Amino acid sequence: MTARTLFGKVWDAHVVAQEPAGPAVLYVDLHLVHEVTSPQAFAELRARGLRVRRPDRTFATMDHSIPTVKNPLAVADASAAAQLRQLVVNCEEFGVPLWGAGDPRQGIVHVVGPEQGLTHPGMTIVCGDSHTSTHGAFGALAFGIGTSQVGHVLATQCLVARRPRTLAVEVDGALGPGVTAKDLILAIIAALGAGGGTGYVLEYRGAAIRALGMEARMTLCNMSIEAGARAGLIAPDDVTFGYLAGKPHAPAGAAWDAAVDRWRGLATDDGARFEHAVRIDASALAPMVTWGTTPAQACAVDGPVPDPATAGGADERAAATRALDYMKVEAGKPLAGKPVDVVFIGSCTNSRLSDLEAAAKIFAGRKVAAGVRALVVPGSQEIKRAAEAAGLDRVFTAAGAEWREPGCSMCIAMNGDALTPGQLAVSTSNRNFEGRQGQGGRTVLASPLTAAASAIAGAIADPRPYLEAR
Amino acid sequence: MPAPQFTSVTARAVVLDAADVDTDQIIPARFLKTTTKDGLAAGLFADWRGRPGFPLDEPSAAGAQILIAGVNFGCGSSREHAAWALAAWGFRAVIAPSFADIFRGNALGQGLVPAAIEPAAHAKLMTVVRDAPDTRVTVDLERLEVRWMCGPEADAVCRAAFAVDPFARRQLLEGVDELGYLLKLDDRITAYEGVSR
Ligand code: SF4
């Protein structure tokens, strides 16, 4: 048999039909649903008199437009409340399990899937959400789809898909102190460019990847889409199995042993070919921050913001100039020291327990700078409980940060948590697009360590001195 | 909803000369708090409308059915609302040097044709349309080419080829409904579920 990539193995195992020289019909093992991208799909099913083919392979949660306070449905604005109510109605009518407001499993869709053990190696996973790539951390082929395709999957458990090409991201070396998976993925995206991964599935490989814990791997795969790649995968290993073991929806007993045997075969074979490859040295990286309005516009927190004149093509130069202008950032100088208004720690990129622990390390015994609003938003109810059990909430509140209920919150600013025009936020989320965190708001993406350090400093800050001071 | 159909469109075009236009710009998230596809045109480029010189605000944009944009158009969020909003505004095709994957699929599903043409031809087309906003541009899915008049002589036609996945192209030319296609595979899906799941 020819040597195959991890991606190739998962893809091949899910082809239900193949159009000659055309797309495949791909079977979907797990379909995750949230309130924003599903209502029109359920409406389509209703209009056609269709049912959900596999409600047992479909799970819904509330995250995007849910207020991050107690009793969210009582305070949601009318349109958000209507959307959340519609999800309840749809899930009841079509028999889809829903982890809604008040459910102990509720949280951000890409946080709760892995946390509840729904995400398994070798699966195909889709969701009407581009950060579905997160689940690739388990060696699953996971990607975002539009609402029409949400309808297709609800009705048939399948979708029409064109086979992507493969791109190996080889990461050697080891991340230094204060440098995290978030910094690594920002460096990878900067190297590939905002569209550099278009048409590809990424496989993250190499010593630095193997050394990452499961939550860090999710941070990495989460942002694959920011380089244009719909999916990013990491081969499953003992770290993966250790994370999954005992989770509510993970296999148990003899089925677990059989599953692990199968999953061990999911690595890319020696000699398998990737269509493209890039190599990154993790040891050379510093904490990263974005200076522009795409996640690819990033640099080291202590390094100078690149001069647009040195950017590759005319397009890039124009984009960089436009971005600097929007961000009110000066080229040639480091971002460190630039005053911040808001710090947001949360989102499907960085709202897991290890992220909150990292932030707490910096917050402990310190105070958020005067005039800075700092929000810490756990990714799920389960993370919230675990963080509170460990006393992290008290660390945050003692420092003067807000400790909120789970949801997407200021990552997308649909739920009332939003920047006001002109405000600058250091955010652990994944998108610094114009106005993403609120109309007219400006976003600097960073790790939880950098975000926390910036909250304390009142300005964009390198977290390493704060860690050394301990 | 009937399956969208598309053969060719000839219309005026609007130039939005920006790279990496993400779907948060095409339609900001606050317009996604809806359960229908109605009224989305109001959200199209909502945060860019009203900025001095924004091309969609120009009187010449009225009635345009083709958007000419920069590289990596439609990157970011998977929101299909972006394709819905463009279509609701009246666009039937977008011409750019490249498109983001999810947007490309969403657009094709709406019968909004994403035509990726060579950067050199793209630059030429932008200049022509900027100089003469009344230029009629054709996006021809049958012949897989973009055409426009590029000189005073009646036969001075510029052409640029684009590629569309052959399966998606056939679907659009014939008005095939993708969900209907999948539903017809019921037996094979059931067989697959029996063996593998
Ligand atoms: S946290 Fe942000 S990126 Fe993640 S699913 Fe929610 S809105 Fe999308």
Side-chain angles (χ1 to χ4, degrees), chain A residues 13-14 19 23 27 29 40 48 53-54 77 83 146-148 162 199 322 414 431 433-434 436 439, chain B residues 22 24-25 32-34 36 47-48 51 76-77 80 101 106 165 167 177 181 186 190 192-193 197:
Chain A
H14 290 87
E19 286 291 324
Y27 194 80
D29 291 324
Q40 298 87 349
R48 293 190 185 219
R53 183 183 178 97
R54 294 297 298 264
D77 72 45
Q83 195 169 55
T147 296
S148 296
R162 285 139 202 97
R322 195 161 49 93
M414 287 182 73
R431 286 192 170 137
F433 299 150
E434 287 181 26
R436 166 78 177 190
Q439 216 177 336
Chain B
D22 59 79
D24 272 88
Q25 307 315 314
L32 309 188
K33 287 188 273 184
T34 171
T36 70
D47 291 347
W48 286 6
R51 286 192 194 171
S77 157
E80 193 164 316
D101 277 337
N106 287 343
D165 173 82
F167 183 81
D177 155 48
Y181 162 83
D186 188 53
T190 304
Y192 177 89
E193 285 177 324
R197 303 295 121 180

Side-chain angles (χ1 to χ4, degrees), chain A residues 13-19 21 23 25 27 29 36-37 39-40 44 48 50 53-54 57 65 77 79-80 82-83 86 128-130 144-149 151-152 155-160 162 194-195 198-200 225 228 230 294 315 319 322 326 412 414 431 433-434 436 439, chain B residues 1 17-25 29-30 32-37 40 46-48 51 70-72 75-81 84 97 99-102 104 106 108-110 165-168 170-171 177-183 185-186 188-193 196-197:
Chain A
H14 290 87
V15 175
V16 172
Q18 176 72 53
E19 286 291 324
V25 174
Y27 194 80
D29 291 324
V36 176
T37 55
Q40 298 87 349
E44 180 80 10
R48 293 190 185 219
L50 297 167
R53 183 183 178 97
R54 294 297 298 264
R57 292 186 173 278
S65 56
D77 72 45
S79 47
Q83 195 169 55
Q86 189 62 46
D129 194 285
S130 61
I145 56 177
T147 296
S148 296
Q149 286 200 308
H152 300 173
T156 68
Q157 206 58 30
C158 289
L159 50 76
V160 174
R162 285 139 202 97
T198 305
Y200 291 100
I225 183 68
R230 276 177 93 159
T294 82
D315 272 347
R322 195 161 49 93
Y326 181 85
I412 190 162
M414 287 182 73
R431 286 192 170 137
F433 299 150
E434 287 181 26
R436 166 78 177 190
Q439 216 177 336
Chain B
M1 215 184 61
D17 184 13
D20 302 317
V21 173
D22 59 79
T23 54
D24 272 88
Q25 307 315 314
R30 62 184 184 278
L32 309 188
K33 287 188 273 184
T34 171
T35 57
T36 70
K37 300 180 187 178
L40 292 175
D47 291 347
W48 286 6
R51 286 192 194 171
V71 291
N72 197 30
C75 60
S77 157
S78 61
R79 59 189 70 167
E80 193 164 316
H81 310 67
W84 295 336
F99 291 92
D101 277 337
I102 303 179
R104 185 209 317 267
N106 287 343
L108 284 168
Q110 296 317 301
D165 173 82
F167 183 81
R170 206 177 64 224
Q171 278 188 329
D177 155 48
E178 193 161 296
L179 177 52
Y181 162 83
L182 284 169
L183 287 166
L185 294 175
D186 188 53
R188 295 179 69 174
I189 301 170
T190 304
Y192 177 89
E193 285 177 324
S196 305
R197 303 295 121 180

